[in-house]
Amino acid sequence: MIDPERLFQLEAGQKRRKLALTFGELERDIAGIAEKGTGYNFTKMSRRDYTKAVCHIVLDDPKLPAPEREQLSSILQHDDFDERRACNLARNALLGILGTFPAEWDLVIAPHAARTAPEDGSTGPDRVAAFGVDGQTVAARSFFPGVAVYAEDIRSPFNIGSIFRTAEAMGCEQVYISPLCIDPSHPRAVRSGMGCIETMGWTRCALDGLPRDRPVFVLETGGTPIGEFAFPERGIVIIGSEELGVSPEALRRADGGCVSIPMTGLKASLNVGVAFGILMQAWVEKIRMRA
């Protein structure tokens, strides 16, 4: 670990790169997965105090975006200081400034037109006009009314594109993304989304900006197994960041409960897009069974 005092002597770009590496090492140490000989070793202060010190250096960066600055400041001021979340937020903010995006991390599971009724009078999905990037109607898109996903702090362009592709394919009406979520218009997101980002559209909002007219539930460990979960007919599912999962704030917002995907493998890990696909298949199947 580099002495925080020495970081002030580095030029801006080098400082950001060194800090990003440092936060990565701290995250691994906090999670207990640091390789032998690479754990926290700065003897002048505790890891907690060291983490706060390097976070304050990030706050001094004039290029730090306002949302990240506000959230990092809030974490630092909280009595129950969340070291790992602070490191994760600071590292991803620095990578964004540097123009470097995270790898396609695995998620560890331990504006719309008016709706019209289906032409055949069935109780299946509603239909909506889908629009391409040129504003022209490309097809009539079917969806389940009130079914939506909230992507919280998804960092990978590939993953957010995959989420949109699944949401469109499985009949989500809406996609919401958090303030710190990667921009869905990123070229890699657009490529992996296969046209679904343009077709679906999206709304960026904080947790408290989500609609209050339907239940919110989360996909996370420790919840009701997916086969036993009482899926709502209308609702919003929150899927968390690739590295940290659903935030404590999202868990508190989840008045509709928590659903988990039982696994038997040694790693017990799924990519966030894959996990979302499994959940959507189970959800829409339950909706169809009630129709």
Side-chain angles (χ1 to χ4, degrees):
M1 298 292 168
I2 188 170
D3 190 325
E5 295 295 330
R6 288 184 56 196
L7 285 167
F8 286 106
Q9 302 170 22
L10 303 177
E11 59 90 16
Q14 186 181 6
K15 182 191 298 183
R16 291 175 186 128
R17 289 189 292 273
K18 176 60 76 172
L19 277 168
L21 291 171
T22 298
F23 282 119
E25 292 175 3
L26 285 169
E27 280 188 84
R28 289 188 288 275
D29 189 75
I30 294 165
I33 58 174
E35 295 182 5
K36 187 176 180 180
T38 64
Y40 182 73
N41 58 7
F42 193 68
T43 59
K44 292 183 180 180
M45 63 180 75
S46 68
R47 188 188 66 199
R48 176 188 174 93
D49 289 340
Y50 182 91
T51 301
K52 286 188 172 183
V54 288
C55 281
H56 280 292
I57 294 175
V58 176
L59 287 176
D60 287 336
D61 193 319
K63 289 192 176 182
L64 183 68
E68 282 86 345
R69 185 183 303 280
E70 181 179 348
Q71 190 163 337
L72 185 57
S73 296
S74 176
I75 294 172
L76 286 167
Q77 293 168 13
H78 204 283
D79 291 338
D80 186 16
F81 176 56
D82 191 332
E83 288 183 72
R84 191 178 179 198
R85 191 162 291 277
C87 289
N88 184 262
L89 173 60
R91 179 171 61 83
N92 279 290
L94 289 166
L95 291 176
I97 295 171
L98 291 166
T100 303
F101 292 94
E104 314 304 354
W105 299 101
D106 282 341
L107 167 66
V108 178
I109 303 293
H112 295 304
R115 295 194 300 269
T116 59
E119 294 177 4
D120 60 3
S122 68
T123 57
D126 281 4
R127 297 173 68 80
V128 66
F131 298 93
V133 292
D134 59 357
Q136 300 299 308
T137 301
V138 294
R141 182 174 73 82
S142 298
F143 65 90
F144 293 94
V147 171
V149 58
Y150 182 77
E152 183 185 45
D153 299 356
I154 299 297
R155 306 293 189 174
S156 160
F158 173 84
N159 283 340
I160 196 66
S162 174
I163 289 165
F164 270 87
R165 189 173 178 182
T166 295
E168 199 283 328
M170 300 306 295
C172 279
E173 180 179 7
Q174 296 164 298
V175 175
Y176 300 95
I177 64 174
S178 72
L180 300 185
C181 201
I182 184 70
D183 192 335
S185 63
H186 186 280
R188 288 176 65 194
V190 171
R191 186 163 62 248
S192 66
M194 297 293 291
C196 294
I197 294 173
E198 300 92 331
T199 299
M200 292 282 298
W202 46 276
T203 301
R204 190 183 290 274
C205 66
L207 282 165
D208 58 9
L210 289 174
R212 295 280 178 176
D213 61 348
R214 60 194 116 154
V216 173
F217 63 100
V218 298
L219 174 62
E220 188 54 277
T221 56
T224 303
I226 196 167
E228 304 169 16
F229 188 73
F231 285 99
E233 187 165 347
R234 298 165 53 88
I236 303 170
V237 61
I238 299 177
I239 52 177
S241 81
E242 299 92 335
E243 298 156 292
L244 299 180
V246 174
S247 70
E249 294 80 9
L251 288 171
R252 289 192 291 269
R253 177 69 176 82
D255 52 8
C258 175
V259 59
S260 298
I261 300 172
M263 287 174 281
T264 57
L266 290 174
K267 189 175 180 183
S269 173
L270 288 172
N271 172 272
V272 62
V274 172
F276 177 54
I278 293 171
L279 175 128
M280 284 305 304
Q281 171 61 31
W283 190 1
V284 300
E285 193 63 29
K286 289 289 181 69
I287 294 175
R288 287 193 175 103
M289 288 173 63
R290 298 179 190 139

